Amino acid sequence: MRSLFTQRLICSAVASAMLVTLSACQTTGPMQTGSTQGSGAPAPQLTPAEQQMRADSERFNNTVIGGIVTGALAGAAAGALIALATGGNKKEVRNAAVGGAVVGGTIGGIDGYVTAKKEQAGRSEIRALQAAAADVRQDNQKLQAYLDSSGAVLNEGKARLASLGNDLKAKRISTEQAEAARQREVQNIESMNGTLVQAKKTRDQYTQASAKFAGTPQERRDLDAEIARMNRQVAQLEQNIADYNRALAVSRA
């Protein structure tokens, strides 16, 4: 029968694993509408497009493949700590960590993702490829939604920056006021850059996983097509950010 101390350790192990999962799911929140900018002026209210962009970013950040990897970290942590709490030796702790990772969803990140897909597909390579393609398709849909909303934000920002440049040239506003107004666009660009980092990471994870699946080119067709689509979306997001940065630079010229 486990002692009270052992039971407490087990609870701590599970709690630690949950914290791993929760911390991995945290995302940067939107601009606080009640906050102030560097100049001390109130931060502007987010437009509907800006609100939608941030909501779409949070949805995309919870990717399918990322969730499986996070589950593995939590499972491994819980398995190892529980083995320690129950007096396991080094070998038992290692085996428990591996077992916990299986329960969590994966072993060794990308390798585990591929293993999980094959297990779900009953070891059928074709069905595993189809399952992986469905995962990429799901994340592609979320990334496309982000591209749509961030594209609207880009258009709004370019219009604001063009108007800002005209107001500055006509001396309707001061240089300090113009720079304070630009901080809104800087925050939007930073938000877009954060999602770009996640998009590249997700694309790379799926690309690495794809290389570990077998199958003929025909059997791999859907998976390869979805990864190619994600790559095009990443390139489009990079282009949008570059356009936004150019508009910002022109407003300062």
Side-chain angles (χ1 to χ4, degrees):
M1 188 172 183
R2 294 189 182 95
S3 67
L4 179 61
F5 177 70
T6 298
Q7 291 174 2
R8 287 176 177 174
L9 282 178
I10 292 173
C11 290
S12 296
V14 175
S16 298
M18 291 176 65
L19 285 174
V20 170
T21 302
L22 291 173
S23 63
C25 293
Q26 290 179 347
T27 56
T28 302
M31 282 189 291
Q32 297 297 316
T33 55
S35 64
T36 58
Q37 296 181 341
S39 63
Q45 292 288 329
L46 295 176
T47 67
E50 288 171 328
Q51 293 175 19
Q52 186 63 52
M53 181 182 78
R54 283 159 174 76
D56 288 337
S57 176
E58 289 187 7
R59 275 190 287 271
F60 174 70
N61 284 339
N62 296 319
T63 60
V64 177
I65 193 168
I68 292 177
V69 171
T70 299
L73 293 174
L81 288 171
I82 289 172
L84 282 171
T86 55
N89 57 34
K90 290 182 179 180
K91 182 177 180 180
E92 290 170 336
V93 169
R94 184 185 67 249
N95 290 341
V98 173
V102 172
V103 173
T106 185
I107 302 174
I110 303 304
D111 285 337
Y113 172 80
V114 174
T115 299
K117 291 294 105 175
K118 290 181 178 180
E119 290 294 337
Q120 292 170 12
R123 308 304 297 176
S124 167
E125 195 73 29
I126 295 176
R127 287 199 296 271
L129 285 165
Q130 292 171 341
D135 288 348
V136 188
R137 187 177 301 112
Q138 181 177 333
D139 285 334
N140 271 336
Q141 290 169 349
K142 292 188 289 186
L143 183 53
Q144 184 59 56
Y146 181 81
L147 279 173
D148 293 342
S149 57
S150 62
V153 169
L154 168 62
N155 290 333
E156 287 181 350
K158 289 168 70 175
R160 283 192 298 264
L161 288 167
S163 177
L164 185 68
N166 291 334
D167 288 344
L168 190 57
K169 289 177 182 177
K171 300 188 183 302
R172 288 189 288 268
I173 60 174
S174 67
T175 302
E176 291 76 14
Q177 289 172 322
E179 189 56 37
R182 290 188 189 99
Q183 292 310 302
R184 177 195 203 119
E185 318 309 337
V186 170
Q187 287 186 329
N188 283 336
I189 292 171
E190 288 175 348
S191 177
M192 292 168 71
N193 271 319
T195 303
L196 176 62
V197 169
Q198 179 63 41
K200 286 182 174 180
K201 176 182 177 181
T202 302
R203 176 202 58 193
D204 292 346
Q205 287 176 326
Y206 279 126
T207 300
Q208 293 167 30
S210 175
K212 295 178 181 295
F213 285 106
T216 66
Q218 183 66 21
E219 292 167 344
R220 298 174 54 87
R221 180 185 59 187
D222 290 346
L223 176 58
D224 292 341
E226 289 297 336
I227 292 175
R229 178 187 171 198
M230 181 171 284
N231 197 45
R232 289 193 298 271
Q233 290 176 320
V234 168
Q236 182 60 61
L237 182 53
E238 284 182 314
Q239 183 61 53
N240 289 352
I241 293 172
D243 288 348
Y244 213 152
N245 275 315
R246 277 194 294 270
L248 183 63
V250 168
S251 76
R252 288 171 169 156

